[in-house]
Amino acid sequence: MRITPTHAVVLTAATVLLSAAISVPAAGVTPAHPAHRAAGDTVTTSLRAAVDELPVADEDRTGYLRTAFRHWIDADHDGCDTRREVILDEAVQAPEVGPRCSLTGGQWYSPYDAVTVTDATGLDVDHMVPLAEAWDSGAAEWTAGERQAYANDLDEPRALIAVTAKSNRSKADKDPADWLPTNTGYRCTYLADWTAIKTRWHLSVDPREKDTLQRLTAACPDEPITVQIAR
């Protein structure tokens, strides 16, 4: 089951000041430098530093198939697949759950476009970093198991998000250089979450994507980001 619905990690000002004053990282937290990162490590850095550290490489979609990422599995065998787990977790008002995890009623808020949804069939569950974008950025070299884990990542609340079908289909497989949420008040969170997922899965960015992230996050609060490294 997906446990934490929060889509951003925010530390208090006191915590930030204390962290800046202490040179030794807390137990279980690795330094921010990418060379020190390994699967399972927890990394805390700032938004702009995280963007700067993303590796740059040209994208290559050769051989991409959506089916290369097996998704919407029922990992805990409770009858609800990954898609429905996300929809249930992000409900503002919980729906009724029927046979085979059918959902009736409920209410959701789509942050991409600031729209309230009252029917789960009007929702898509979006991969924050789309599957095709992940393939372009390094996942082509992964094992089938790693791609399945990426496509069903319930351990990272920022990885999957329930939004209106319209907004998700507008985004498609575009990166922030080509698409941003119409809800301007959400854009800094979106950029931070995009960066967090690229960091978590050690995915690269193309030069235009990197330039866009650096330019746009310069106008965002340089808040801390905490990420557990997946690979």
Side-chain angles (χ1 to χ4, degrees), residues 22-162:
I22 301 175
S23 60
V24 180
V29 178
T30 64
H33 195 282
H36 298 148
R37 297 175 181 175
D41 286 345
T42 298
V43 176
T44 297
T45 187
S46 70
L47 171 59
R48 290 173 204 154
V51 170
D52 289 343
E53 291 163 4
L54 291 171
V56 178
D58 291 333
E59 293 185 353
D60 184 358
R61 195 159 296 186
T62 303
Y64 169 71
L65 292 171
R66 187 172 174 82
T67 53
F69 295 81
R70 185 182 173 215
H71 56 291
W72 305 163
I73 63 171
D74 181 7
D76 59 5
H77 307 291
D78 68 349
C80 295
D81 63 14
T82 302
R83 178 182 179 277
R84 289 177 176 82
E85 295 280 15
V86 174
I87 289 173
L88 285 168
D89 282 346
E90 296 190 358
V92 177
Q93 295 179 7
E96 294 183 10
V97 182
R100 298 185 180 180
C101 207
S102 61
L103 306 178
T104 305
Q107 183 174 298
W108 293 264
Y109 175 76
S110 169
Y112 283 3
D113 45 7
V115 170
T116 296
V117 178
T118 56
D119 184 347
T121 62
L123 295 168
D124 278 357
V125 171
D126 182 40
H127 292 89
M128 175 58 61
V129 175
L131 301 181
E133 170 72 20
W135 179 275
D136 297 349
S137 307
E141 305 300 323
W142 297 355
T143 66
E146 287 174 323
R147 287 195 287 266
Q148 176 177 302
Y150 177 85
N152 298 275
D153 190 1
L154 293 175
D155 292 329
E156 169 49 70
R158 294 164 289 196
L160 298 165
I161 182 170

Side-chain angles (χ1 to χ4, degrees), residues 155-207:
D155 292 329
E156 169 49 70
R158 294 164 289 196
L160 298 165
I161 182 170
V163 293
T164 60
K166 180 180 179 180
S167 66
N168 185 42
R169 290 162 200 183
S170 170
K171 173 184 173 181
D173 57 9
K174 301 180 184 76
D175 70 29
D178 294 311
W179 187 89
L180 289 169
T182 57
N183 179 10
T184 57
Y186 174 72
R187 286 182 178 175
C188 285
T189 298
Y190 181 79
L191 296 168
D193 290 356
W194 180 280
T195 301
I197 300 309
K198 287 249 168 167
T199 300
R200 171 169 166 77
W201 288 92
H202 193 61
L203 293 168
S204 63
V205 291
D206 65 58

